[in-house]
Amino acid sequence: MKSLDRKLVRDLWSLKAQVLSIALVIACGIGGFIASFSTHESLLQSRDTYYDTARFPHVFADVKRAPRTLLGQIAAIPGVSEVALRVVRDVQLDVEGVAQPMVARMIGFNPEKPQAMNRATLRSGRWPSPGARGEVVVNQRFAEVRGLRIGSTIHVLLNGRREALSIVGTALTPEYIYPTRGGLLPDDEWFAVLWMDENRLAAAYNMEGAFTSALLRIEHASGPQAVIAALDRVLEPYGTRGAYGRAEQVSNKIVSQEIEQQRITGTVLPSVFLLVAAFILNVVLHRQVNAQRLEIAALKALGYDDAAIAGHYLKFTAVIAALGVGIGILLGIWLGRQMTALYADFFHFPEFHYVLSAWVVGAGSAVAMAAAFGGTLAAIRGVIRLRAAEALRPAAPALFRPLLLERLGGARLLRLLTPGQRMILRNLERQWLRATLAVAGIAGAIAIVIAGTFWRDAVGYFIDVQFHAAQPGDVQLGFVEPVSGSAQYEVARLPGVQEAELARTIGARIRAGHRSYQTVVTGLADGARLQRIVGRGAGGELHEATPIPGALLLTARLARRLGVAPGDTVWVELMDGQRIGSVNARALTVGAVIDELAGMNVWMRMSELNALAGEGPLASSAALRVDAAAEPELLQRLKEMPGVATVIIKRTLLDTFRKTTARNLLFFTAILTAFAATIAAGVVYNNARIQLAERAWELASLRVLGFTRGEVSVLLLGELAIEIAAAVPIGCLFGFGLASLMVSLMHGENFEIPAVILPATYLYAAATAIAAGIISGLLVRHRIDHLDLVAVLKTRE
């Protein structure tokens, strides 16, 4: 073994604790990178493989009722390669032992003809027999949550008639990887997908020879927009609600947004980890090189050239980086598998395998190595330039002078401090750059904890705004068909109903110049209290808006999408009612824009929306405020009302959502807290150990002069305490900035999670850094207590 290599082994062993702490910081960076990107790859591959295998459609269209004779006309649209027509209906679902009415989406299929497109994957049991009455297949997740088995009986309201259905199988479908009726929240417990013989379903709704849903696959060379426009023209006379592409399909959109968020998370946070690792390596190597100034001079005097000496320190870095990369790869694989398992329970794929590509490991390792060597080269560049004779001379002593506070006339204040406290302040001022870097490193750790844990606060704020401030009602009813305004009085007489409000929603396409967007127009009653329009002001404060007479109220995201502002004119094409389609498009003024958290919403007065649709005072939904004591009786009555298609109880929907997100948030919070604690410990411990090495002679001298171990420890650990105290507010500020950056990068089209951070999160992040600092301080205190005074006080002549 070469002499320099033996020296390398000795240096690594003498600094083993510091080497391990730096390697762990690097491991956190590369582990987070590998975990996030491998999970991203796993999600992406699982989704794309499932879509290809199941032949997931490219274009979707919903229509009130259209004849199947349109099949040839739709298939003749240029670019269309395959068409499937079906009957789809939302109905009330009743499961034994569950008081609340649930919603089932009934999908008709032909049991004698295998599905060529949008294939459902049978997971257990069988498909209904041709001509069999009352046999259905249910989506697997709902069956698991509700404890349904093959042979279980459920009841539904089919066109007002209560029918018993027997479950003969369970299945998965690419259309509902993320099960929801169209909202942003997952709805495994209260929303079921049922497949039924299409002839039976059509007969129940007098839909023989008709369809309500069209699915299209298009040729690879064709774009969906031309096909969508042509399909809308074909379906326009039949009350189409507007065709849309795969990108707008609710389940696919949410899954795709989650995949994109994984990519962003895998880029932002690991970058912070690796920057901190490079910083620590820079500091450690810089001080290590300075501490070995005489050894470097001796090596130069013995004939070692600059390249050999630089190579020695690069090897030192390479060992640390290689150790960190090795630990990081193992950590990333373990963490990636855990994250994949969480998503496998959240999204419903037939197969969900963990995928780790070579490029992910290679890219993560390369970035970690580059960060490590970049910090090392910056550290050794200055010392290598020294000539041997210059390096053999001891470094110039530090410049001792009064504190800045003393020079500014604060000497009287300093007299109130003990000598030890003045020594701490003087050393911090002399070594201001080192102290600043230490503060920055600890602040970075605090910022990472905040950026990883603020989601709990942000999601809670989102729920409070959207489901409490904007929708203070307890129960939401959806009617099978629009009802007259007198239905409000009938609903108000139901058991336990304290207040009832009606609303009208109509699907519409909003056009502004060459831009358009398909959404719904919601009409609210004058003075509505159970359904409100709530947005945020410039300072983040909440404010309520009301529909503007004779004009539209647009959500800010939709206004930006259309490129319009208050006072501009847009064209509204209704997709329902008597006045439907582009022929009856109406020009309306944008009266105001409001910054809502969710939805691409258009609001009007309900009376004006009904007039726009060419209809009388009709409503499509009702919001209720309910006495909790009478809720069971109300739910039982609603199950018996054939005109009610859906019943949504806000409390149960939110409980399901909170249970799902709480588990995920707890996992990610624990991981990021551990990572941040590792960084904080790495920064604090390395800083303290290096200060101990640099000031060992000074501290030992004080011990000989009669200072106690505690007094000597305070001189060193007091500096660390001040650095941590200074890092806390800076880290909180950095954390808010990092959280805001992640929110802006993850900004979705249909919703926005604001960067809301509660004081408890700041306290939690600060406590993490302080705890890491205390543990590191105790380790250093142990070394101070066991200083070999004789060995330390020996001087080289």
Side-chain angles (χ1 to χ4, degrees):
M1 182 183 290
K2 296 180 180 179
S3 300
L4 285 180
D5 291 336
R6 287 196 295 272
K7 179 180 183 301
L8 173 64
V9 173
R10 288 196 300 270
D11 289 345
L12 288 170
W13 181 251
S14 64
L15 297 172
K16 54 184 178 293
Q18 292 167 267
V19 167
L20 180 60
S21 65
I22 299 170
L24 288 176
V25 175
I26 296 175
C28 289
I30 190 174
F33 178 89
I34 290 175
S36 294
F37 272 92
S38 61
T39 304
H40 172 268
E41 290 253 310
S42 301
L43 283 169
L44 194 63
Q45 182 170 313
S46 297
R47 183 199 66 181
D48 293 346
T49 300
Y50 189 23
Y51 283 178
D52 290 341
T53 303
R55 296 180 58 77
F56 191 48
H58 298 111
V59 176
F60 304 77
D62 298 318
V63 64
K64 290 187 69 174
R65 179 190 178 98
R68 287 183 176 267
T69 54
L70 295 176
L71 176 62
Q73 194 174 345
I74 296 173
I77 295 174
V80 174
S81 61
E82 193 174 348
V83 181
L85 306 178
R86 59 184 185 170
V87 175
V88 178
R89 285 285 184 169
D90 283 355
V91 300
Q92 271 201 50
L93 170 65
D94 184 12
V95 176
E96 185 178 356
V98 181
Q100 176 182 334
M102 290 172 277
V103 178
R105 183 153 295 166
M106 306 291 296
I107 300 176
F109 82 106
N110 187 347
E112 297 180 325
K113 184 179 179 181
Q115 295 169 288
M117 179 177 22
N118 202 38
R119 297 170 183 154
T121 304
L122 193 67
R123 303 296 284 179
S124 64
R126 59 175 176 84
W127 291 107
S129 301
R133 184 179 182 87
E135 291 187 348
V136 293
V137 168
V138 63
N139 62 305
Q140 183 184 24
R141 182 60 178 169
F142 182 83
E144 291 173 348
V145 171
R146 289 300 173 190
L148 300 176
R149 296 177 174 82
I150 305 300
S152 296
T153 299
I154 57 178
H155 293 84
V156 297
L157 281 178
L158 287 180
N159 202 16
R161 295 178 56 188
R162 181 178 170 86
E163 292 200 18
L165 302 177
S166 176
I167 295 175
V168 297
T170 62
L172 294 176
T173 171
E175 199 172 359
Y176 298 100
I177 292 173
Y178 184 90
T180 177
R181 283 161 287 183
L184 300 175
L185 302 184
D187 208 1
D188 283 323
E189 294 187 31
W190 307 100
F191 175 62
V193 181
L194 301 177
W195 289 267
M196 185 179 188
D197 186 307
E198 62 181 7
N199 294 323
R200 292 287 184 185
L201 183 60
Y205 285 93
N206 301 315
M207 295 287 292
E208 294 92 340
F211 68 93
T212 64
S213 172
L215 308 176
L216 284 69
R217 283 183 66 86
I218 61 178
E219 298 170 356
H220 291 296
S222 302
Q225 293 308 316
V227 173
I228 289 171
L231 182 60
D232 280 343
R233 287 193 294 270
V234 172
L235 298 179
E236 189 173 71
Y238 305 98
T240 177
R241 293 172 173 83
Y244 52 94
R246 181 187 288 184
E248 297 301 318
Q249 200 267 341
V250 174
S251 174
N252 175 72
K253 180 185 288 189
I254 294 174
V255 172
S256 299
Q257 287 175 352
E258 192 66 37
I259 292 173
E260 177 63 14
Q261 288 175 5
Q262 273 300 315
R263 185 187 63 80
I264 294 170
T265 303
T267 303
V268 176
L269 290 181
S271 298
V272 177
F273 289 134
L274 293 177
L275 283 173
V276 173
F279 153 72
I280 297 177
L281 272 175
N282 188 296
V283 172
V284 170
L285 264 296
H286 185 75
R287 294 185 181 180
Q288 180 74 0
V289 169
N290 284 334
Q292 296 189 7
R293 181 188 181 99
L294 297 179
E295 286 86 343
I296 293 174
L299 291 173
K300 286 192 171 189
L302 291 172
Y304 288 93
D305 59 17
D306 291 347
I309 297 173
H312 165 71
Y313 287 101
L314 288 175
K315 287 180 182 178
F316 183 88
T317 298
V319 172
I320 298 176
L323 179 61
V325 167
I327 298 173
I329 291 174
L330 296 176
L331 176 63
I333 293 173
W334 174 82
L335 185 55
R337 290 185 181 278
Q338 298 301 313
M339 293 169 64
T340 300
L342 283 176
Y343 281 113
D345 194 44
F346 195 65
F347 296 133
H348 310 308
F349 296 99
E351 294 183 357
F352 203 149
H353 299 297
Y354 177 65
V355 177
L356 178 61
S357 300
W359 78 265
V360 174
V361 176
S365 302
V367 171
M369 287 289 186
F373 283 115
T376 302
L377 290 173
I380 66 177
R381 186 176 55 215
V383 177
I384 293 301
R385 293 198 191 110
L386 292 176
R387 296 181 179 276
E390 183 182 355
L392 281 169
R393 291 197 301 267
L399 178 63
F400 289 86
R401 59 180 179 179
L403 287 171
L404 178 62
L405 182 61
E406 293 176 292
R407 299 197 298 275
L408 295 177
R412 182 173 300 176
L413 292 175
L414 288 176
R415 293 195 190 102
L416 301 177
L417 303 179
T418 65
Q421 292 169 341
R422 289 197 292 270
M423 291 171 67
I424 291 172
L425 293 178
R426 289 193 177 100
N427 196 61
L428 286 172
E429 185 175 312
R430 285 199 305 271
Q431 303 289 346
W432 66 269
L433 180 59
R434 182 182 67 189
T436 300
L437 293 176
V439 169
I442 300 169
I446 295 172
I448 290 171
V449 176
I450 293 172
T453 57
F454 88 98
W455 296 104
R456 188 193 306 265
D457 303 336
V459 171
Y461 177 84
F462 179 87
I463 289 175
D464 286 340
V465 173
Q466 287 302 117
F467 296 95
H468 296 303
Q471 300 178 41
D474 302 311
V475 177
Q476 188 82 19
L477 305 181
F479 302 119
V480 175
E481 295 289 344
V483 298
S484 68
S486 61
Q488 178 172 352
Y489 304 106
E490 298 177 27
V491 171
R493 289 195 294 268
L494 290 173
V497 175
Q498 298 172 331
E499 189 175 359
E501 285 180 0
L502 300 182
R504 180 76 191 273
T505 57
I506 300 180
R509 181 178 286 108
I510 314 298
R511 295 188 183 276
H514 65 282
R515 300 175 179 176
S516 68
Y517 191 84
Q518 186 172 311
T519 180
V520 295
V521 180
T522 302
L524 295 184
D526 295 338
R529 296 190 302 173
L530 300 184
Q531 300 172 87
R532 296 189 241 176
I533 309 169
V534 178
R536 293 181 302 162
E541 71 282 357
L542 295 179
H543 64 92
E544 183 178 353
T546 56
I548 300 169
L552 300 177
L553 177 63
L554 267 61
T555 219
R557 277 180 303 280
L558 179 56
R560 289 193 294 268
R561 173 75 176 262
L562 298 174
V564 297
D568 292 342
T569 299
V570 298
W571 289 87
V572 179
E573 302 173 11
L574 296 183
M575 302 294 182
D576 204 348
Q578 296 178 15
R579 300 180 184 274
I580 61 174
S582 57
V583 175
N584 294 300
R586 295 283 301 276
L588 294 175
T589 301
V590 177
V593 170
I594 184 169
D595 188 13
E596 294 180 286
L597 292 182
M600 301 285 271
N601 302 316
V602 181
W603 304 92
M604 292 182 69
R605 297 176 66 203
M606 186 166 66
S607 58
E608 293 179 353
L609 177 58
N610 280 321
L612 186 66
E615 298 173 333
L618 299 181
S620 54
S621 64
L624 312 178
R625 190 189 301 278
V626 177
D627 180 4
E631 184 178 286
E633 185 181 357
L634 171 65
L635 297 180
Q636 185 59 42
R637 284 286 302 276
L638 290 174
K639 288 181 180 181
E640 301 167 357
M641 297 179 66
V644 176
T646 60
V647 179
I648 301 174
I649 298 180
K650 182 175 66 178
R651 170 177 47 79
T652 57
L653 185 64
L654 290 180
D655 286 345
T656 301
F657 176 70
R658 287 193 177 101
K659 282 190 294 185
T660 303
T661 56
R663 180 185 55 187
N664 294 346
L665 287 173
L666 182 62
F667 175 78
F668 288 112
T669 298
I671 293 298
L672 286 169
T673 299
F675 281 8
T678 301
I679 291 177
V683 173
V684 174
Y685 181 72
N686 278 282
N687 193 40
R689 279 295 308 273
I690 293 170
Q691 285 192 50
L692 176 60
E694 292 175 344
R695 301 177 62 186
W697 188 89
E698 173 189 336
L699 298 176
S701 299
L702 292 174
R703 286 287 313 280
V704 171
L705 291 174
F707 280 69
T708 65
R709 292 175 178 175
E711 291 171 332
V712 170
S713 298
V714 165
L715 296 178
L716 185 61
L717 299 182
E719 293 183 25
L720 297 177
I722 292 175
E723 289 167 352
I724 293 174
V728 167
I730 298 173
C732 291
L733 184 62
F734 285 175
F736 180 80
L738 186 56
S740 300
L741 173 64
M742 295 181 68
V743 164
S744 65
L745 291 175
M746 296 180 181
H747 182 73
E749 181 183 86
N750 288 314
F751 68 95
E752 177 183 350
I753 300 295
V756 173
I757 307 175
L758 298 180
T761 299
Y762 288 117
L763 291 174
Y764 177 75
T768 300
I770 292 170
I774 291 173
I775 294 172
S776 301
L778 292 174
L779 294 174
V780 173
R781 168 64 189 267
H782 177 75
R783 289 188 170 273
I784 293 174
D785 290 345
H786 293 82
L787 275 178
D788 187 340
L789 301 182
V790 176
V792 170
L793 290 172
K794 288 182 179 178
T795 58
R796 180 178 297 176
E797 298 296 338

